[in-house]
Amino acid sequence: MLGKPIFAIAAAALLASDGPAADTPKIAESEGLYRLPFADGTEVSVFDDAVTHRPVGAIDLVGEPREGKVHRVVAAADGIVMAIEDHYSEQQSGRAAADCRNNFVWLAHPGGEWTLYGHMATGTTSGKAALKVGDRVRAGQYLGDEGAVGCAMLLHVHFEVAVPQASDPIDKGGFLNGNADRQRMRIPRFCAIPDHLVRKDAHYMAAACP
Protein backbone atom coordinates (compact mmCIF):
# COMPACT_ATOMS: atom_id res chain seq x y z
CA MET A 1 0.00 0.00 0.00
CA LEU A 2 1.37 3.40 -0.97
CA GLY A 3 1.31 6.35 1.36
CA LYS A 4 0.19 6.54 4.98
CA PRO A 5 -2.55 4.18 6.21
CA ILE A 6 -6.08 5.44 6.83
CA PHE A 7 -5.67 6.00 10.57
CA ALA A 8 -2.48 8.02 10.15
CA ILE A 9 -4.14 10.15 7.49
CA ALA A 10 -7.21 10.68 9.67
CA ALA A 11 -5.11 11.55 12.71
CA ALA A 12 -3.00 14.01 10.75
CA ALA A 13 -6.12 15.57 9.25
CA LEU A 14 -7.79 16.00 12.63
CA LEU A 15 -4.77 17.20 14.55
CA ALA A 16 -3.65 19.64 11.86
CA SER A 17 -7.07 20.66 10.56
CA ASP A 18 -8.09 24.22 9.87
CA GLY A 19 -11.63 23.00 9.12
CA PRO A 20 -14.44 22.25 11.57
CA ALA A 21 -12.06 21.86 14.47
CA ALA A 22 -9.99 24.94 13.74
CA ASP A 23 -9.06 25.28 17.41
CA THR A 24 -7.62 21.74 17.54
CA PRO A 25 -3.87 22.02 18.15
CA LYS A 26 -1.37 20.72 15.65
CA ILE A 27 0.65 17.86 17.12
CA ALA A 28 3.57 16.12 15.41
CA GLU A 29 4.32 12.42 15.75
CA SER A 30 7.11 11.39 18.11
CA GLU A 31 10.64 11.13 16.78
CA GLY A 32 11.26 8.16 19.07
CA LEU A 33 9.76 4.72 18.55
CA TYR A 34 8.55 3.23 21.84
CA ARG A 35 7.39 -0.12 23.18
CA LEU A 36 4.00 -0.49 24.82
CA PRO A 37 4.58 0.34 28.52
CA PHE A 38 3.41 -2.99 29.95
CA ALA A 39 5.31 -6.17 30.80
CA ASP A 40 5.97 -8.55 27.90
CA GLY A 41 2.97 -10.70 27.05
CA THR A 42 0.37 -8.32 28.50
CA GLU A 43 -2.66 -7.78 26.30
CA VAL A 44 -3.23 -4.03 26.06
CA SER A 45 -6.46 -2.35 25.04
CA VAL A 46 -6.72 1.31 24.02
CA PHE A 47 -9.33 3.25 25.97
CA ASP A 48 -8.47 6.51 24.18
CA ASP A 49 -5.96 7.19 21.41
CA ALA A 50 -4.21 10.47 20.57
CA VAL A 51 -7.19 11.68 18.55
CA THR A 52 -10.05 10.73 20.90
CA HIS A 53 -8.30 11.63 24.15
CA ARG A 54 -9.30 14.96 25.67
CA PRO A 55 -7.16 16.93 25.64
CA VAL A 56 -5.65 15.49 22.46
CA GLY A 57 -2.19 13.99 22.12
CA ALA A 58 -2.08 11.58 25.09
CA ILE A 59 -3.33 7.98 25.13
CA ASP A 60 -4.97 5.77 27.78
CA LEU A 61 -3.89 2.11 27.85
CA VAL A 62 -5.49 -0.71 29.85
CA GLY A 63 -3.87 -4.00 30.84
CA GLU A 64 -6.10 -7.03 30.19
CA PRO A 65 -7.77 -8.91 31.78
CA ARG A 66 -8.84 -6.18 34.21
CA GLU A 67 -10.32 -8.35 36.96
CA GLY A 68 -8.11 -9.69 39.74
CA LYS A 69 -4.73 -9.00 38.13
CA VAL A 70 -2.09 -6.38 38.82
CA HIS A 71 -0.43 -5.25 35.60
CA ARG A 72 3.20 -4.22 35.62
CA VAL A 73 4.12 -0.96 33.92
CA VAL A 74 7.52 -0.76 32.22
CA ALA A 75 9.71 1.88 30.60
CA ALA A 76 8.83 2.48 26.96
CA ALA A 77 12.50 3.16 26.11
CA ASP A 78 15.88 3.63 27.77
CA GLY A 79 15.89 6.78 29.85
CA ILE A 80 16.49 8.67 33.08
CA VAL A 81 13.91 9.13 35.83
CA MET A 82 13.12 12.85 35.98
CA ALA A 83 10.16 12.95 38.37
CA ILE A 84 8.21 10.61 40.63
CA GLU A 85 4.99 11.16 42.55
CA ASP A 86 3.54 8.03 44.13
CA HIS A 87 2.19 8.76 47.61
CA TYR A 88 -1.40 9.61 46.64
CA SER A 89 -4.09 6.92 46.79
CA GLU A 90 -7.47 8.52 46.07
CA GLN A 91 -9.41 7.96 42.85
CA GLN A 92 -11.01 11.30 41.94
CA SER A 93 -12.88 10.76 38.69
CA GLY A 94 -15.15 13.69 37.87
CA ARG A 95 -12.92 16.51 39.09
CA ALA A 96 -11.09 18.94 36.85
CA ALA A 97 -7.62 17.59 36.05
CA ALA A 98 -5.93 20.51 37.78
CA ASP A 99 -7.73 19.59 41.02
CA CYS A 100 -6.74 15.92 41.02
CA ARG A 101 -3.77 14.47 42.90
CA ASN A 102 -2.15 12.03 40.52
CA ASN A 103 0.73 9.56 40.77
CA PHE A 104 3.18 9.67 37.88
CA VAL A 105 6.63 8.93 36.52
CA TRP A 106 8.43 11.05 33.93
CA LEU A 107 11.37 9.61 31.99
CA ALA A 108 13.75 11.57 29.74
CA HIS A 109 15.06 9.84 26.61
CA PRO A 110 17.90 10.51 24.16
CA GLY A 111 16.85 13.11 21.61
CA GLY A 112 14.93 15.33 24.02
CA GLU A 113 11.62 13.47 24.29
CA TRP A 114 10.13 12.52 27.66
CA THR A 115 7.49 9.91 28.44
CA LEU A 116 4.82 10.10 31.16
CA TYR A 117 3.22 7.18 33.00
CA GLY A 118 0.19 8.44 34.92
CA HIS A 119 -2.27 7.07 37.54
CA MET A 120 0.31 4.62 38.93
CA ALA A 121 -0.58 2.51 41.98
CA THR A 122 0.44 4.02 45.31
CA GLY A 123 4.04 3.47 46.37
CA THR A 124 4.90 1.01 43.61
CA THR A 125 7.48 3.20 41.88
CA SER A 126 9.59 4.18 44.87
CA GLY A 127 8.69 1.02 46.80
CA LYS A 128 8.32 -2.12 44.67
CA ALA A 129 10.40 -0.75 41.77
CA ALA A 130 12.85 1.01 44.17
CA LEU A 131 13.33 3.90 41.75
CA LYS A 132 14.38 7.45 42.50
CA VAL A 133 14.94 10.60 40.47
CA GLY A 134 18.20 10.35 38.53
CA ASP A 135 18.11 6.57 38.06
CA ARG A 136 18.81 5.20 34.61
CA VAL A 137 16.33 2.65 33.32
CA ARG A 138 16.29 0.30 30.36
CA ALA A 139 13.41 -0.28 27.96
CA GLY A 140 11.12 -2.85 29.53
CA GLN A 141 12.32 -2.18 33.09
CA TYR A 142 9.61 -2.29 35.78
CA LEU A 143 8.39 1.18 36.85
CA GLY A 144 5.45 0.27 39.09
CA ASP A 145 1.89 -1.00 38.80
CA GLU A 146 -1.06 0.20 36.76
CA GLY A 147 -3.46 2.16 38.95
CA ALA A 148 -6.46 4.50 39.09
CA VAL A 149 -5.10 7.29 41.27
CA GLY A 150 -6.16 10.85 40.52
CA CYS A 151 -8.61 11.71 37.73
CA ALA A 152 -9.12 8.15 36.51
CA MET A 153 -12.29 6.29 35.55
CA LEU A 154 -10.61 2.88 35.65
CA LEU A 155 -7.29 1.09 36.12
CA HIS A 156 -5.05 2.18 33.26
CA VAL A 157 -1.88 4.00 32.27
CA HIS A 158 -2.12 7.53 30.94
CA PHE A 159 0.81 7.73 28.52
CA GLU A 160 2.32 10.81 26.89
CA VAL A 161 5.32 11.67 24.78
CA ALA A 162 6.46 15.28 25.01
CA VAL A 163 9.36 17.65 24.46
CA PRO A 164 9.37 19.74 27.65
CA GLN A 165 10.84 23.21 27.83
CA ALA A 166 14.42 23.12 29.05
CA SER A 167 13.78 25.33 32.07
CA ASP A 168 11.04 24.32 34.54
CA PRO A 169 9.67 21.46 32.38
CA ILE A 170 6.77 20.30 34.61
CA ASP A 171 4.77 21.68 37.52
CA LYS A 172 4.29 20.00 40.91
CA GLY A 173 1.24 18.14 39.58
CA GLY A 174 3.28 16.56 36.81
CA PHE A 175 1.75 18.70 34.07
CA LEU A 176 3.90 20.13 31.29
CA ASN A 177 4.69 23.82 31.58
CA GLY A 178 4.37 25.93 28.44
CA ASN A 179 1.87 23.50 26.93
CA ALA A 180 -1.29 25.59 26.69
CA ASP A 181 -1.82 24.73 23.02
CA ARG A 182 -0.41 21.19 23.36
CA GLN A 183 2.71 22.40 21.56
CA ARG A 184 4.91 20.27 23.82
CA MET A 185 3.02 17.06 22.98
CA ARG A 186 3.99 14.42 20.44
CA ILE A 187 1.71 11.66 19.15
CA PRO A 188 3.29 8.42 20.48
CA ARG A 189 4.66 5.99 17.89
CA PHE A 190 5.16 2.35 18.89
CA CYS A 191 7.29 -0.46 17.51
CA ALA A 192 5.74 -3.81 16.53
CA ILE A 193 2.39 -2.14 15.76
CA PRO A 194 1.10 -1.61 12.22
CA ASP A 195 1.56 2.04 11.22
CA HIS A 196 3.15 2.61 14.68
CA LEU A 197 -0.05 4.32 15.90
CA VAL A 198 -2.49 2.77 18.38
CA ARG A 199 -6.23 2.98 17.74
CA LYS A 200 -9.09 3.40 20.20
CA ASP A 201 -10.70 0.06 21.20
CA ALA A 202 -7.93 -1.95 19.52
CA HIS A 203 -5.95 -4.68 21.33
CA TYR A 204 -2.20 -5.24 21.16
CA MET A 205 0.37 -7.49 22.80
CA ALA A 206 3.14 -5.78 24.76
CA ALA A 207 6.63 -6.86 23.69
CA ALA A 208 10.16 -5.53 23.37
CA CYS A 209 11.09 -3.62 20.24
CA PRO A 210 12.99 -5.73 17.68
Side-chain angles (χ1 to χ4, degrees):
M1 180 184 296
L2 296 177
K4 286 192 171 184
I6 292 173
F7 177 76
I9 294 172
L14 177 60
L15 295 174
S17 173
D18 291 321
D23 59 344
T24 300
K26 299 177 181 179
I27 304 178
E29 293 180 2
S30 66
E31 291 291 331
L33 196 60
Y34 299 92
R35 61 161 291 152
L36 288 169
F38 284 89
D40 291 353
T42 303
E43 183 181 355
V44 179
S45 64
V46 182
F47 186 77
D48 268 315
D49 60 35
V51 173
T52 63
H53 193 281
R54 291 295 178 268
V56 295
I59 61 174
D60 289 331
L61 302 171
V62 178
E64 302 285 0
R66 286 162 51 183
E67 296 297 328
K69 184 173 177 59
V70 174
H71 292 285
R72 295 167 63 87
V73 178
V74 304
D78 295 352
I80 298 174
V81 179
M82 303 302 291
I84 294 171
E85 174 57 74
D86 72 348
H87 80 275
Y88 293 121
S89 59
E90 184 184 3
Q91 185 176 1
Q92 301 162 307
S93 181
R95 295 188 189 179
D99 297 329
C100 287
R101 296 173 177 85
N102 185 23
N103 290 339
F104 57 84
V105 182
W106 274 105
L107 302 181
H109 306 284
E113 291 183 340
W114 290 23
T115 53
L116 170 67
Y117 312 76
H119 307 299
M120 303 284 280
T122 309
T124 58
T125 299
S126 58
K128 289 175 65 176
L131 291 175
K132 61 184 183 301
V133 172
D135 284 349
R136 293 184 177 274
V137 298
R138 303 291 293 177
Q141 183 173 332
Y142 174 61
L143 299 179
D145 294 339
E146 173 190 49
V149 176
C151 292
M153 295 174 59
L154 73 167
L155 289 168
H156 74 289
V157 172
H158 173 96
F159 184 80
E160 297 183 9
V161 177
V163 180
Q165 59 188 25
S167 176
D168 197 21
I170 59 174
D171 65 20
K172 64 181 182 180
F175 295 102
L176 290 160
N177 287 320
N179 192 44
D181 295 320
R182 310 297 278 173
Q183 66 266 35
R184 298 285 169 189
M185 303 293 298
R186 299 293 181 267
I187 299 175
R189 296 191 310 128
F190 296 96
C191 65
I193 288 178
D195 316 330
H196 301 308
L197 300 173
V198 298
R199 300 163 173 79
K200 180 178 173 61
D201 298 327
H203 292 251
Y204 306 94
M205 191 65 69
C209 291

